Amino acid sequence: MSGRSINSVFYADAYHPIQAGSIDGTDTAPHDNAVYRALLCSSAGLYDPFGDPKAIGDPYCTIFVGRLSHLTTEDTLRKAMSKYGKVKNLRLVRHIVTGASRGYAFVEFETEREMRRAYKDGQHSYIDDSEIIVDYNRQQLMPGWIPRRLGGGLGGRKESGQLRFGGRERPFRAPLQTIPYDDLKRLGIPPPPEGRYMSHYEVPSPPRRKRSSRDKEESSHRRSSIDKEAEESSNIRSYRDKEEHYGERHSVEKEEHRHKGSSMDRSERSHRRISPERGGYHHKRSSLDREEHYEKRSPVDMEEPSHKKLRDREERTHKRSSRDREEGSRKRHKHGSSSDKRRKEDA
């Protein structure tokens, strides 16, 4: 046997008194009188799980709450269970003579989802300083169920000496010895699920509601109709969004066009109204600016010749220099001729 099998457990899907009294689910004979009494009740059919008039409501939406404090009331339990979902019905089991609490109750929720949430999260929580246990409604959902008062049930305390295995609180342990398949088959006891054991920390799933073909068809039809409605609503929403978008865009463009046209008209009117006045004003302003400019000019600027004056001055200077050169050349020529005459005379 592997180490994994030693530390593994499994849970009972159907109730058998002899198997419930075995720690590994392989016993073939009752080991105490309570198990024997439960076996007789099961064989003779003395217990009807659906015959209890107080057991009302949907069993698939109902949980069993055990190990409650005897001081816990219906209001306290309802307040504690309301955090898992909306409580539809609650029954705190009391003593038929004294009226005192028996320490367990049945709580019905509105939906299976809320019931499964309470089944998963409510285990080992505290109510009035008492650690509670939570299980599904095995009275109506577990085949072959026998209650504790008839020697059956599940769980229990070691002090009582009547431990019952296979439930959520005390699961079956993986068998260490050889499994007697023939004897178990003869007694109608389901054998341990070899190769399909679970960890002790895994949460066993409660039974789900079996749906008929009609329910499946109705659910599929309902789902398809819901999908169609959702698709139609999404199409309508998208169409409305498009219309609103285009409408807003058209209105914005229209407003911009109107604003632009009105601004252009205003500018044209103002230009037509102001242009004659503005022309005279600009003409006066330009003449005044020119006068001020000439007045502000310095004397040096006023004395500066224009471009034409400069060109005339350059031409006069050039003529004067050319005349001076001609006169100088003529003088040199005369002086040379006079010196030649003197030489001839001397000779």
Side-chain angles (χ1 to χ4, degrees):
M1 189 65 66
S2 63
R4 181 181 177 182
S5 298
I6 293 173
N7 297 323
S8 299
V9 297
F10 66 99
Y11 299 88
D13 295 329
Y15 191 84
H16 196 284
I18 296 176
Q19 187 183 33
S22 174
I23 191 172
D24 58 0
T26 59
D27 286 359
T28 57
H31 69 278
D32 60 25
N33 293 330
V35 174
Y36 185 73
R37 186 170 69 252
L39 182 61
L40 290 177
C41 292
S42 177
S43 302
L46 300 178
Y47 176 72
D48 182 12
F50 298 96
D52 187 2
K54 296 180 181 179
I56 59 175
D58 188 359
Y60 290 95
C61 299
T62 305
I63 60 171
F64 166 82
V65 183
R67 297 183 184 176
L68 291 170
S69 172
H70 294 283
L71 301 177
T72 301
T73 61
E74 285 83 353
D75 296 336
T76 306
L77 182 60
R78 184 183 294 274
K79 184 178 179 181
M81 292 290 110
S82 296
K83 63 182 178 181
Y84 305 115
K86 187 176 181 180
V87 178
K88 185 178 181 180
N89 187 23
L90 185 145
R91 181 167 69 96
L92 180 63
V93 180
R94 296 182 177 274
H95 195 275
I96 192 172
V97 177
T98 62
S101 173
R102 299 292 298 272
Y104 64 95
F106 295 92
V107 182
E108 181 186 3
F109 291 92
E110 288 285 345
T111 61
E112 289 189 41
R113 179 177 295 179
E114 296 172 344
M115 172 265 176
R116 291 178 179 276
R117 182 183 177 189
Y119 173 82
K120 180 180 179 181
D121 300 337
Q123 179 76 343
H124 296 301
S125 61
Y126 285 87
I127 300 177
D128 291 335
D129 297 331
S130 181
E131 187 178 5
I132 65 172
I133 59 172
V134 178
D135 205 347
Y136 67 89
N137 189 2
R138 295 182 183 268
Q139 177 180 348
Q140 296 178 342
L141 297 181
M142 192 173 192
W145 174 257
I146 300 296
R148 171 65 73 173
R149 68 177 184 271
L150 298 178
L154 292 173
R157 299 182 182 273
K158 293 181 179 180
E159 297 81 10
S160 64
Q162 294 183 1
L163 298 178
R164 299 293 181 266
F165 300 91
R168 185 180 184 183
E169 187 65 16
R170 293 187 181 276
F172 294 120
R173 295 183 181 179
L176 300 177
Q177 60 185 358
T178 305
I179 301 173
Y181 288 102
D182 296 336
D183 295 338
L184 294 177
K185 185 177 180 181
R186 177 174 54 83
L187 296 173
I189 299 174
E194 282 286 54
R196 293 182 289 109
Y197 296 118
M198 298 175 62
S199 172
H200 185 74
Y201 300 100
E202 293 183 60
V203 180
S205 179
R208 295 182 178 274
R209 192 191 305 273
K210 294 181 180 180
R211 296 183 179 181
S212 62
S213 59
R214 182 177 180 181
D215 294 336
K216 290 180 181 179
E217 290 178 358
E218 290 179 356
S219 63
S220 62
H221 179 70
R222 193 182 302 110
R223 192 180 298 109
S224 62
S225 62
I226 291 171
D227 294 339
K228 288 181 181 179
E229 291 178 358
E231 186 177 359
E232 290 177 358
S233 62
S234 63
N235 293 333
I236 292 171
R237 195 181 299 109
S238 63
Y239 180 73
R240 289 178 179 176
D241 294 339
K242 288 181 181 179
E243 284 186 347
E244 291 177 358
H245 176 70
Y246 286 125
E248 292 177 357
R249 185 175 178 183
H250 181 69
S251 61
V252 169
E253 291 178 354
K254 189 174 180 180
E255 185 69 22
E256 290 179 353
H257 181 71
R258 186 172 59 188
H259 180 69
K260 188 175 181 181
S262 61
S263 61
M264 290 178 67
D265 294 339
R266 286 198 299 272
S267 62
E268 288 179 359
R269 288 196 298 270
S270 62
H271 180 71
R272 290 173 184 174
R273 186 173 62 253
I274 298 172
S275 57
E277 299 175 359
R278 184 174 294 178
Y281 173 76
H282 280 294
H283 179 70
K284 293 178 181 179
R285 182 66 180 271
S286 60
S287 61
L288 290 173
D289 291 340
R290 284 196 298 272
E291 291 176 0
E292 289 179 358
H293 177 69
Y294 285 118
E295 289 177 358
K296 288 180 180 179
R297 290 181 65 183
S298 61
V300 177
D301 295 334
M302 295 291 291
E303 290 177 358
E304 287 184 353
S306 62
H307 183 69
K308 186 175 181 180
K309 290 180 180 181
L310 288 173
R311 188 174 58 186
D312 295 339
R313 184 179 296 177
E314 289 178 355
E315 289 179 356
R316 287 196 299 271
T317 304
H318 180 69
K319 289 179 180 180
R320 190 181 299 114
S321 60
S322 62
R323 284 198 302 271
D324 293 339
R325 283 196 300 272
E326 290 177 356
E327 289 176 359
S329 60
R330 283 198 300 270
K331 286 179 180 180
R332 283 195 302 273
H333 182 69
K334 287 179 179 181
H335 179 72
S337 61
S338 62
S339 61
D340 290 337
K341 285 179 180 181
R342 287 192 196 101
R343 288 191 198 101
K344 288 178 180 182
E345 288 176 0
D346 293 335

